[in-house]
């Protein structure tokens, strides 16, 4: 059990190679076994006990050999695979839990990926941009001799890297691979699927299970949008179809130009398509964005949309999508006394979680709130933060939009290419702020 972060009785018995659960039942009665009744697997060993078993360099007669540890790791990995492959509740929460524990064990003991390959493809087939962060690498207590060149990364390590969030991902409105490197690779290699955040795409990886050309084109549209090349993003979006999530890509463009009504309609169409294709993660993400768009122009209607987004997120582990719901709540409440505390709390949470790439979207919501209150002094500080956060040129147009909201001149050209004139975009954003200022709840 020291190999597992958490377990239940059946998993413990299978991992130990037992045919009955009595020894596992006796184990969980020990004081060093902690219990979380709300966890996917309710039991876990105290951290000190785990490290003692795994790392102690003792010379007891019953100590395990490297082969013993390797066999135990293989049994545990197989047991986790059975949890996923034959389980009666194959929801996304179980999938993510099995991936996190399985990848860590395969990485630490240089095991073949086995069932992890199919599980990883299932994972990316629904919501490819949801980060799965395996525990930090740890030294196996009795490390086996690697079966391949030790200087090369193991398959499990590579897969762990591919599924873990990078410092640049996910961005604010649409979680995705790191935008700067994605745009660089796409511009030099054409429409190809992105690999890990840490390395370029692998030309040899040509199996049919790789993301489709539509998904690759969506990456190009997303990269163009991040860079502020909206006409190119729109032209690319026209032919994406469902596989390229065309409705969501269009929605992302519509709200940026100050047309949240059109964005909300596009996100609804995207959610409907996702539900028809059985993609729970995509449906939840589209609904979160729809709630955000509606909050911009109809705060009284936004609460029902936010509640629906929370319902669709039940059982999923989509951190960026959850942040988008929180952003919708901020926009809905813009102009009220509670927003400053909400923003401060969310900034702290993002900083602790290491999701600082999401902060520009939160700062833009903060700018909307300050524009509603005509708080130009506070807005000046927000603009400074936005400039710093978008200094890599991704989302640089957020600074322009914040100035449109407050109807102040754009003091630094961002190089954005709007879908129509800058003045039309400014007028639409300013109209959204003025409408909120006349809302009965603004300023309360």
């Amino acid at each position: 059990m020291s190999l597992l972060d958490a377990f239940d009785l059946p998993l413990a018995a299978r991992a130990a190679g037992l045919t009955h659960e009595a020894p596992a039942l006796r184990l969980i009665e020990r004081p060093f076994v902690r219990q979380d009744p709300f966890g996917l697997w309710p039991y876990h060993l105290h951290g000190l006990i785990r490290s003692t078993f795994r790392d102690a360099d003792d010379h007891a007669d019953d100590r395990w050999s490297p082969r013993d540890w390797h066999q135990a790791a293989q049994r545990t990995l197989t047991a986790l695979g059975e949890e996923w492959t034959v389980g009666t509740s194959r929801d996304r929460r179980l999938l993510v839990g099995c991936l996190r524990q399985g990848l860590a064990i395969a990485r630490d003991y240089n095991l073949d990926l086995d069932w992890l390959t199919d599980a990883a493809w299932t994972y990316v087939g629904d919501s490819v941009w949801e980060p799965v962060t395996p525990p930090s690498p740890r030294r196996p207590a009795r490390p086996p001799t690697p079966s391949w060149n030790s200087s090369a990364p193991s398959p499990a390590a590579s897969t762990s890297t591919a599924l873990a969030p990078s410092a640049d991902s996910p961005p604010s409105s649409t979680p995705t691979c790191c935008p700067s490197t994605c745009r660089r690779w796409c511009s030099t290699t054409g429409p190809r699927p992105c690999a890990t955040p840490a390395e370029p795409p692998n030309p040899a990886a040509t199996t049919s299970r790789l993301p489709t050309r539509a998904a690759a084109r969506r990456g190009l549209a997303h990269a163009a949008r991040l860079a502020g090349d909206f006409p190119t993003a729109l032209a690319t979006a026209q032919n994406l179809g469902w596989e390229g999530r065309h409705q969501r890509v269009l929605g992302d463009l519509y709200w940026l130009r100050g047309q949240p009504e059109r964005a909300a309609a596009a996100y609804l169409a995207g959610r409907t398509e996702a539900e028809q294709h059985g993609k729970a993660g995509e449906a939840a993400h589209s609904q979160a964005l729809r709630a955000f768009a509606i909050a911009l122009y109809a705060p009284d209607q936004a609460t029902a949309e936010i509640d629906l987004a929370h319902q669709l997120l039940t059982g999923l582990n989509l951190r960026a999508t959850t942040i988008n719901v929180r952003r919708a709540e901020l926009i809905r409440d813009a102009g009220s006394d509670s927003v400053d505390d909400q923003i401060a709390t969310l900034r702290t949470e993002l900083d602790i979680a290491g999701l600082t790439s999401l902060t520009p979207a939160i700062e833009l919501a903060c700018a909307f709130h300050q524009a509603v209150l005509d708080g130009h002094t506070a807005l000046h500080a927000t603009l400074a933060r936005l400039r710093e956060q978008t200094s890599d040129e991704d989302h640089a147009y957020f600074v322009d939009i914040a100035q449109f909201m407050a109807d102040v001149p754009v003091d630094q050209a961002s190089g954005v290419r709007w879908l129509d004139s800058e003045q039309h975009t400014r007028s639409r954003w300013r109209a959204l702020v003025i409408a909120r200022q006349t809302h009965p709840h603004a300023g309360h």
Side-chain angles (χ1 to χ4, degrees):
M1 293 309 96
S2 66
L3 297 173
L4 289 168
D5 296 322
F7 59 90
D8 57 12
L9 288 176
L11 178 59
R14 289 197 301 270
L18 303 173
T19 58
H20 51 288
E21 297 177 0
L25 188 60
R26 291 193 296 271
L27 173 67
I28 65 172
E29 295 173 349
R30 301 294 181 88
F32 52 76
V33 176
R34 302 298 176 87
Q35 182 175 5
D36 176 8
F38 302 106
L40 177 61
W41 294 287
Y43 305 108
H44 63 276
L45 294 181
H46 188 281
L48 179 61
I49 300 298
R50 292 187 70 200
S51 63
T52 298
F53 275 116
R54 290 173 61 90
D55 301 330
D57 188 18
D58 60 65
H59 299 282
D61 292 339
D62 61 349
R63 67 185 183 275
W64 280 17
S65 69
R67 183 178 179 83
D68 291 331
W69 280 103
H70 188 275
Q71 290 176 339
Q74 185 62 68
R75 280 197 312 271
T76 305
L77 181 64
T78 300
L80 283 168
E82 291 172 355
E83 288 274 305
W84 166 245
T85 57
V86 303
T88 57
S89 177
R90 296 185 63 183
D91 59 17
R92 193 164 181 83
R93 184 173 179 232
L94 176 62
L95 171 61
V96 171
C98 289
L99 275 173
R100 278 181 53 85
Q101 297 215 78
L103 284 170
I105 293 171
R107 176 195 60 203
D108 291 347
Y109 288 88
N110 290 332
L111 303 178
D112 290 335
L113 290 178
D114 193 24
W115 61 270
L116 288 165
T117 302
D118 286 334
W121 284 115
T122 301
Y123 158 82
V124 300
D126 183 3
S127 185
V128 66
W129 309 123
E130 172 193 352
V132 172
T133 314
S136 300
R138 54 198 175 203
R139 180 178 61 86
R142 303 291 185 270
T145 301
S147 57
W148 48 73
N149 186 342
S150 60
S151 64
S154 70
S158 298
T159 307
S160 299
T161 302
L163 296 179
S166 72
D168 293 327
S169 68
S172 55
S173 59
T174 306
T176 183
C177 53
C178 50
S180 301
T181 50
C182 177
R183 184 163 61 249
R184 184 172 65 252
W185 298 333
C186 289
S187 66
T188 56
T189 63
R192 297 171 53 193
C194 290
T196 72
E199 57 188 18
N202 179 6
T206 57
T207 71
S208 61
R209 302 176 75 176
L210 285 172
T212 63
R213 286 185 176 273
R217 287 196 298 270
R218 184 181 75 207
L220 290 175
H222 177 67
R225 179 174 59 82
L226 287 177
D229 187 357
F230 296 154
T232 297
L234 179 62
T236 306
Q238 302 301 323
N239 301 311
L240 290 178
W242 152 249
E243 288 187 344
R245 307 300 191 259
H246 59 141
Q247 296 290 356
R248 175 153 58 84
V249 174
L250 289 172
D252 291 344
L253 289 170
Y254 291 148
W255 78 260
L256 286 171
R257 68 186 304 200
Q259 294 181 315
E261 299 95 334
R262 293 186 68 182
Y267 291 138
L268 175 59
R271 190 196 77 200
T272 302
E273 288 182 339
E275 291 170 340
Q276 291 171 346
H277 288 81
K279 301 298 185 183
E282 178 64 25
H285 189 60
S286 294
Q287 178 58 31
L289 293 172
R290 173 174 166 79
F292 159 73
I294 289 178
L296 281 168
Y297 68 91
D300 292 336
Q301 301 175 27
T303 297
E305 301 293 336
I306 289 169
D307 290 344
L308 178 57
H310 282 301
Q311 292 176 25
L312 294 179
L313 279 167
T314 302
L316 303 178
N317 181 25
L318 298 170
R319 293 185 296 176
T321 301
T322 301
I323 294 301
N324 277 321
V325 180
R326 301 279 296 278
R327 179 174 59 147
E329 293 170 346
L330 294 179
I331 294 294
R332 177 198 61 189
D333 299 337
S336 66
D337 296 336
S338 64
V339 173
D340 288 333
D341 289 339
Q342 293 179 53
I343 291 172
T345 299
L346 194 49
R347 283 175 183 151
T348 301
E349 291 177 5
L350 291 176
D351 185 59
I352 293 174
L355 298 175
T356 53
S357 60
L358 297 174
T359 54
I362 303 305
E363 295 300 335
L364 188 62
C366 178
F368 184 77
H369 166 65
Q370 292 161 348
V372 169
L373 296 177
D374 282 328
H376 289 279
T377 301
L379 179 64
H380 181 76
T382 300
L383 288 172
R385 287 192 296 271
L386 272 174
R387 287 192 183 93
E388 181 179 357
Q389 293 159 5
T390 61
S391 59
D392 61 355
E393 298 183 358
D394 288 334
H395 295 119
Y397 44 82
F398 276 5
V399 177
D400 298 42
I401 292 174
Q403 293 171 320
F404 295 167
M405 292 173 177
D407 198 25
V408 297
V410 174
D411 51 6
Q412 296 180 22
S414 66
V416 61
R417 296 179 61 204
W418 300 105
L419 291 174
D420 49 13
S421 71
E422 177 180 311
Q423 185 56 47
H424 280 96
T425 307
R426 171 187 288 272
S427 297
R428 286 191 292 265
W429 276 109
R430 184 58 185 167
L432 290 170
V433 171
I434 293 173
R436 182 61 60 88
Q437 289 174 332
T438 60
H439 190 272
H441 300 297
H444 299 286

